[in-house]
Amino acid sequence: MSDPLIRSTPGALLRATIELLLSGVLARVVLPLLLGLLAAHSGALAYTLSAPLGAWPQLVITAWWLGTAVTLAMALASWLCARALGLPAVHHRAALGRGLLGSALQSAVFALLAVLATVAAWLWLPAVVSGVAGYAADRALDPYTSVPGVELLTGLLLYGGLQLVLGAWLWLPMLMLLIRARPGHALRRSRRALYDGGWLDVLFVGPLLVLAALALVDFRLALAGLPLFSFWPALATRAVAESAGNPFQALARAADR
């Protein structure tokens, strides 16, 4: 049996993640929070701009965009964390490009998920569809100061659901750091790192379940999910940095040659 890629205990990894966040509050906490809020608010814009296409395409496009916007925010936050953990300057641009590549690949999957989710809601949950339409109408009256709770929850659930199904919680930072690896190889390595310990995925899924439960009480409580834009990327990037064959060290050695 091979050694696990990540040997840290949950407590040690959480402490290292908190230290990473506190060592750069503006870049790794505040900026990701603002990106998350911007991603949520952009859902209302996507809903409005797609209105001429009709109700069904409008819901599909809005759901797709929310998943994509959240992924872009997570990718940028992961890149900022990678820089703080020692990503060589010579690889900054390439790593950011790899993060955008990962976002584009996930965006294509979100398009399919958005279609399936909308069709399912239209067929079996018509009350949800009418509720979303009413919510969107209310948000349109006051788009900048009202709470984008449904948009934020939708984006995080789409993003988190895809990472859960694919085992891809560590994929974005792994993809950025394995500069020459194909996306499929980076996904397999990130999946192995995630599941070898048998506990790491709980640190990602747990907050998402709590958020969903809060949103059932009041959709405005979905704003409690904003810290995930800081926590998830920091945790994933820190876990990759502590994995066997540390990609940060490998890039640093290559940059020194």
Side-chain angles (χ1 to χ4, degrees):
M1 185 176 179
S2 59
D3 292 333
L5 282 181
I6 297 178
R7 301 183 179 92
S8 298
T9 63
L13 185 56
L14 282 175
R15 285 193 297 272
T17 299
I18 293 172
E19 290 174 2
L20 172 61
L21 292 172
L22 294 181
S23 65
V25 173
L26 181 61
R28 294 185 287 281
V29 177
V30 176
L31 181 56
L33 289 178
L34 293 177
L35 289 173
L37 191 59
L38 179 63
H41 275 297
S42 70
L45 179 61
Y47 189 86
T48 301
L49 292 178
S50 58
L53 300 177
W56 191 87
Q58 189 179 24
L59 290 175
V60 171
I61 290 172
T62 304
W64 163 77
W65 172 247
L66 285 169
T68 300
V70 167
T71 304
L72 287 169
M74 296 291 181
L76 183 55
S78 299
W79 181 71
L80 292 171
C81 290
R83 290 184 54 169
L85 289 173
L87 177 67
V90 69
H91 292 300
H92 283 179
R93 185 178 298 179
L96 180 59
R98 299 274 288 179
L100 295 177
L101 170 63
S103 299
L105 292 173
Q106 292 203 30
S107 178
V109 180
F110 286 134
L112 176 60
L113 291 179
V115 171
L116 294 176
T118 303
V119 169
W122 207 279
L123 292 177
W124 296 297
L125 298 170
V128 171
V129 176
S130 60
V132 168
Y135 166 84
D138 292 339
R139 282 271 292 136
L141 297 175
D142 190 13
Y144 301 110
T145 58
S146 56
V147 177
V150 172
E151 295 97 314
L152 184 62
L153 181 65
T154 300
L156 287 172
L157 286 178
L158 283 170
Y159 175 82
L162 183 61
Q163 312 316 303
L164 178 62
V165 170
L166 297 181
W169 291 106
L170 309 182
W171 183 55
L172 282 175
M174 191 75 78
L175 184 64
M176 292 181 192
L177 297 171
L178 299 180
I179 296 292
R180 296 178 179 85
R182 294 181 178 179
H185 172 75
L187 178 59
R188 289 190 295 272
R189 184 178 175 86
S190 66
R191 187 186 291 124
R192 182 192 160 197
L194 180 70
Y195 292 131
D196 268 353
W199 52 266
L200 185 54
D201 55 328
V202 176
L203 298 180
F204 291 97
V205 178
L208 188 61
L209 295 177
V210 172
L211 177 64
L214 288 174
L216 289 176
V217 177
D218 188 331
F219 74 89
R220 288 169 294 187
L221 294 177
L223 280 183
L226 281 175
L228 295 180
F229 286 89
S230 301
F231 176 68
W232 276 349
L235 177 62
T237 312
R238 183 74 257 185
V240 170
E242 297 194 6
S243 65
N246 186 335
F248 286 99
Q249 294 178 0
L251 283 177
R253 288 193 298 268
D256 291 339
R257 290 171 187 164

